[in-house]
């Protein structure tokens, strides 16, 4: 490409020495459109230009996105396989590394059985790779033990959507329609920091008079501009949602025709929410009665409204209930399946949507098929060319795989694209699990905290060195381009899995020469499933600015708006959620009197293994901290810059104090993007949602104590 659009109607030329490659950001579910600038002669990546003609993000990018390219040729890249010898990593050839993996995997399986191996996947990878991770575990290794980092991210959204709508697509509407909405009810989403390029749509709508209601224990940058900020106690969302529905019903805001024709359980719901008067709701949530009432009136009177949420409501042991209840608010108002209205979760990781559909989950096969459904097993076995009897049974969830390590069932793990040593809850369980394993393989492009535990580290390529597709937070399937050749001797994950499969005697099932061939198989595997990609082709994606699944045939337009006529349930109706409020797994007691919640800052991404290597981002936010209200700080005689020891029932850690009025006075917030002694997951509660098996990252009980600055930080 020699020119690109700078703004509508204006084009810029590319310097003769450079070429532009059109792709998307590597990080969050926004998948902002960008062009990467490459020096033709040296192959060096020079920088990035936002893509103004990408309809979802319209030329906007955030601080992580504009520096994302700096990872690709970063000096820290792992360029050759590493094998741990006498406790130290030594560079090796691919042959030596793969020989060792083959020997160990075979040895362990012959001694302890097929299920002694396990795979821990991730969704920063393309659909092609995510699809292959599931097949790799079940066909190449023949193990039941596979799960992935989306279990910590999107599993409660998935559970809540399936319960309510019968299918899990993160958004029921395309993003550009947000501009035409009248009201956004946003719960547990720090949108301005975590999906920053969405904000433009809310501004556009606000300019036309739209209202915004934000539900968050902190006054985030999004809450600051809201019309109502419902500053609830962490872990009380289901009470708040029930309270909102109480008022929607009491004030006559229900779309009775819609509910009668399209929803189940209305009478039961009416009965269940009777209890949730504004007073009772206020008592549980700590939100003032007037604010609850004001929010209900704004939401109830808006002709077009969108209920949106994110991990704040999902990363709880009642996350599935929360999602189902908030979604039911939108159903009562008859908002789902219509223009500029509906329900959306802010999908987290770049391919957090696609990566959860193709079989990386312990109980799922591609196309969102269930491993417990004999027909699904038969179909996928035929696509994979295996005997249905050889299909492994469902395994266990991500955190529970570490229980299986502790009890000796899992003896080896291959971690592909995740850093659970930082990002899983109750890290001591994870760290001791990694130490206990007989053999750990990690595929990554930077040496992560998880990779440090490994016996073999395999250098994977970054997102800019391979082709493929991802599915963004709307459900739109988009193209990721190869920008440069693989750095050093690194290889794309699909090729690494193929080579291990060959050594495990399963090469004939992994006969691919490029990601396009994997995508063709994925299309067939997904055909007839809930997440049907069979009508999507690479060409269509480019021609149509992405294609929304479900898309069951090449002449099908794709599905930007879900549920226009029916829901994906057996009777075609949505299921209103009838659920009482239940307290979080841990609540403040005399011994642990405050609430700890964890999350993100705009400058870092997840475990931080990528963003902690980018100078600009580290300058902006070098270390984690404990954010608290002045009233709470004063109880402990703390000022900003002092150090505090936070102790939970799991562990303790010391953090710098940051005082702000933008948080409840009973809650402490810590961002989680750092490892080892700086990992807040040392403290978090691994209490799991009974349906989604999502850990409760957002709520646990904590005590505090003033402490001295750690040695290393003394100035
Ligand atoms: N900058 C940045 N952006 C990211 C990421 C990143 O690491 N950094 N990660 C991406 C990924 S994978 C994800 S999953 C998303 C996450 O995106 P978000 O879910 O928006 O981010 P979080 O910071 O985890 O949590 C959101 C908010 O939930 C609030 N909260 C805490 N407890 C509760 C509660 O009990 N109820 C309610 N209603 N709110 C609560 C927190 O105060 C916080 O403001 O972001 C994506 N984008
Ligand atoms: N306390 C607390 N903990 C949390 C959360 C929270 O809010 N609070 N949020 C949870 C959420 S929502 C999430 S999504 C998880 C994320 O947790 P992780 O999965 O640990 O997150 P990442 O840092 O993205 O880890 C991805 C790793 O893979 C590497 N990588 C990136 N792309 C590729 C690729 O294409 N191939 C390979 N092989 N490697 C690649 C990166 O360098 C990085 O080391 O954390 C969860 N943990
Ligand atoms: S908003 Fe998300 S996808 Fe867009 S530039 Fe930032 S991190 Fe990348
Ligand atoms: Mo996430």
């Amino acid at each position: 490409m020699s020119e690109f659009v700078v703004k509508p109607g204006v084009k810029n030329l590319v310097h003769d020495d450079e070429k532009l490659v059109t792709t998307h950001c590597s990080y969050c579910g926004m998948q902002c459109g960008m062009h990467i600038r490459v020096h033709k002669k040296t192959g060096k990546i020079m920088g990035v230009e936002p893509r103004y003609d990408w309809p979802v993000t319209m030329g906007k990018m955030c601080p992580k996105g504009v520096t994302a390219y700096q990872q690709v040729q970063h000096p820290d890249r792992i360029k050759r396989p590493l094998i741990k010898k006498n406790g130290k990593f030594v560079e090796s050839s691919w042959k030596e590394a793969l020989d060792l993996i083959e020997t160990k995997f075979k040895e362990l399986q012959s001694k302890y059985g097929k299920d002694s191996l396990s795979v821990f996947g991730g969704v920063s990878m393309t659909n092609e790779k995510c699809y292959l991770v599931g097949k790799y575990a079940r066909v190449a290794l023949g193990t039941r033990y596979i799960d992935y980092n989306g279990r910590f991210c999107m599993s409660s959204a998935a559970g809540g959507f399936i319960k309510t709508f019968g299918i899990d697509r993160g958004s029921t509407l395309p993003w550009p329609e947000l501009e035409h909405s009248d009201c956004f009810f946003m719960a547990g989403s720090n949108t301005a920091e975590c999906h920053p390029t969405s904000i433009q749509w809310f501004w556009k709508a606000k300019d036309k008079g739209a209202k915004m209601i934000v539900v968050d224990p902190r006054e985030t940058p999004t809450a600051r501009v809201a019309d109502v900020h419902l500053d609830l106690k962490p872990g009380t969302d289901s009470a708040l949602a029930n309270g909102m529905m109480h008022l929607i019903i009491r004030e006559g805001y229900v779309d009775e025709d819609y509910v009668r024709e399209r929803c189940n359980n209305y009478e039961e719901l009416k009965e269940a929410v009777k209890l949730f008067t504004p007073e009772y709701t206020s008592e549980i949530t700590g939100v003032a009665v007037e604010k609850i009432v004001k929010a209900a009136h704004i939401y109830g009177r808006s002709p077009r409204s969108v209920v949106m949420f994110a991990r704040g409501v999902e990363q709880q042991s009642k996350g599935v209930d929360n999602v189902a209840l908030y979604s039911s608010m939108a159903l009562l108002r008859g908002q789902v399946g219509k223009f500029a209205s509906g329900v959306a979760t802010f999908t987290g990781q770049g391919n957090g949507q696609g990566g959860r559909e193709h079989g990386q989950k312990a109980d799922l096969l591609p196309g969102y098929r269930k491993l417990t459904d004999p027909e699904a097993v038969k179909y996928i076995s035929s696509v994979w060319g295996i005997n249905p009897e050889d299909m492994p049974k469902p395994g266990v969830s991500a955190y529970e795989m570490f229980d299986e390590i502790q009890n000796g069932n899992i003896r080896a793990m291959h971690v592909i694209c995740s850093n659970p040593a930082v990002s899983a809850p109750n890290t001591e369980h994870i760290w001791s699990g990694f130490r206990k394993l007989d053999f750990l393989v990690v595929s990554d492009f930077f040496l992560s905290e998880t990779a440090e535990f490994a016996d073999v580290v395999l250098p994977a390529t970054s997102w800019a060195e391979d082709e493929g597709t991802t599915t963004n937070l709307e459900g739109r399937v988009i193209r990721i381009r190869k920008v440069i050749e693989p750095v050093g001797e690194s290889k794309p994950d699909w090729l690494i899995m193929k080579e291990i499969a060959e050594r495990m005697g399963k090469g004939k099932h992994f006969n691919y020469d490029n990601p396009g061939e994997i995508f063709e198989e994925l299309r067939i595997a997904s055909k007839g499933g809930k997440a049907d990609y069979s009508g999507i082709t690479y060409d269509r994606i480019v021609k149509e600015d992405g294609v929304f699944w479900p898309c069951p045939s090449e002449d099908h337009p794709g599905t930007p708006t879900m549920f226009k006529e029916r829901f994906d349930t057996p009777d075609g109706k949505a299921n209103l959620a009838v659920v009482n409020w239940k307290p979080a797994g841990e609540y403040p007691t005399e011994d642990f009197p405050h609430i700890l919640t964890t999350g993100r800052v705009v400058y870092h991404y997840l475990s931080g293994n990528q963003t902690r290597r980018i100078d600009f981002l580290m300058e902006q936010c070098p270390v984690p901290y404990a954010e608290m209200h002045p009233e709470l700080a004063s109880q402990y005689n703390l000022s900003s810059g002092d150090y505090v020891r936070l102790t939970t029932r799991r562990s303790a850690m010391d953090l710098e104090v940051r005082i702000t009025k933008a948080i409840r006075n009973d809650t402490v917030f810590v961002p989680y993007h750092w490892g080892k002694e700086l990992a807040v997951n040392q403290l978090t509660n691994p209490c799991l949602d009974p349906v989604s098996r999502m850990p409760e990252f957002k709520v646990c009980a904590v005590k505090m104590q003033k402490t001295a600055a750690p040695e290393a930080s003394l100035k």
Side-chain angles (χ1 to χ4, degrees), residues 365-440:
L365 290 170
Y368 243 118
R369 289 182 163 87
K370 286 208 176 93
L371 203 40
T372 44
D373 168 7
E375 282 307 307
V377 169
K378 219 162 108 192
Y379 179 69
I380 296 298
S381 299
S382 74
V383 178
W384 287 352
I386 63 167
N387 201 328
E389 286 85 66
D390 292 336
M391 181 72 83
K393 299 283 172 269
V396 297
S397 76
Y399 184 80
E400 291 166 298
M401 285 213 280
F402 288 84
D403 298 337
E404 298 302 325
I405 296 175
Q406 299 290 354
N407 64 30
N409 289 336
I410 291 178
R411 315 294 300 209
M413 185 177 270
H414 186 172
V415 179
I416 306 172
C417 191
S418 184
N419 189 8
V422 175
S423 55
N426 186 22
T427 46
E428 186 43 47
H429 189 61
I430 309 302
W431 299 343
S432 64
F434 281 141
R435 280 188 215 107
K436 190 161 185 220
L437 282 173
D438 292 327
F439 193 58
L440 174 64

Side-chain angles (χ1 to χ4, degrees), residues 9 49 53 122 134 152-153 223 251 289 466 535 540 544 559 578 706:
E49 301 289 346
D53 53 351
F152 301 154
C153 184
E251 300 297 320
V289 168
D466 196 23
R540 276 192 71 181
E544 300 171 31
T559 315
V578 184
K706 189 169 178 170

Side-chain angles (χ1 to χ4, degrees), residues 37-59:
R37 295 170 41 208
V38 190
H39 192 264
K40 281 184 194 158
K41 247 196 217 139
T42 59
K44 194 169 161 23
I45 296 184
M46 309 296 289
V48 62
E49 301 289 346
R51 197 180 152 195
Y52 284 83
D53 53 351
W54 178 245
V56 191
T57 52
M58 308 273 294

Side-chain angles (χ1 to χ4, degrees), residues 134-204:
K135 183 174 176 185
Y136 166 71
R138 296 185 177 108
V139 178
L141 307 186
T143 178
R144 73 194 298 169
Y145 288 122
I146 164 162
D147 210 54
Y148 79 121
N149 66 4
R151 184 69 70 175
F152 301 154
C153 184
M154 302 311 299
S155 61
S156 286
F161 285 152
I162 289 167
K163 208 169 146 182
T164 315
F165 303 133
I167 188 171
D168 162 31
R169 207 191 73 181
S171 178
T172 68
L173 76 163
W175 239 236
E177 285 184 11
L178 293 172
E179 176 183 351
H180 306 286
S181 306
D182 303 301
C183 177
F184 305 102
F185 184 96
M186 305 169 82
S189 159
N190 182 2
T191 323
E193 292 200 71
C194 296
H195 297 86
T197 56
S198 273
I199 292 288
Q200 59 183 319
W201 298 111
F202 303 118
W203 286 135
K204 282 183 190 166

Side-chain angles (χ1 to χ4, degrees), residues 526-599:
S526 75
K527 194 173 176 58
K530 292 221 174 210
D532 194 329
Y533 281 51
S534 58
I536 305 177
T537 64
Y538 279 9
D539 283 349
R540 276 192 71 181
I541 295 173
V542 175
K543 277 197 204 110
E544 300 171 31
D545 277 342
V547 182
F548 289 79
W549 72 262
C551 181
S553 63
E554 283 191 43
D555 55 9
H556 186 285
T559 315
T561 308
M562 297 291 281
F563 317 127
K564 278 188 178 158
E565 268 125 46
R566 67 187 309 279
F567 293 94
D568 221 322
T569 50
D571 65 1
K573 290 188 175 187
N575 298 312
L576 291 165
V578 184
V579 196
N580 205 342
W581 174 73
K582 296 176 218 77
E586 250 182 32
Y587 235 58
T589 57
E590 222 168 276
D591 293 344
F592 296 93
H594 312 296
I595 305 171
L596 171 67
T597 191
T598 63

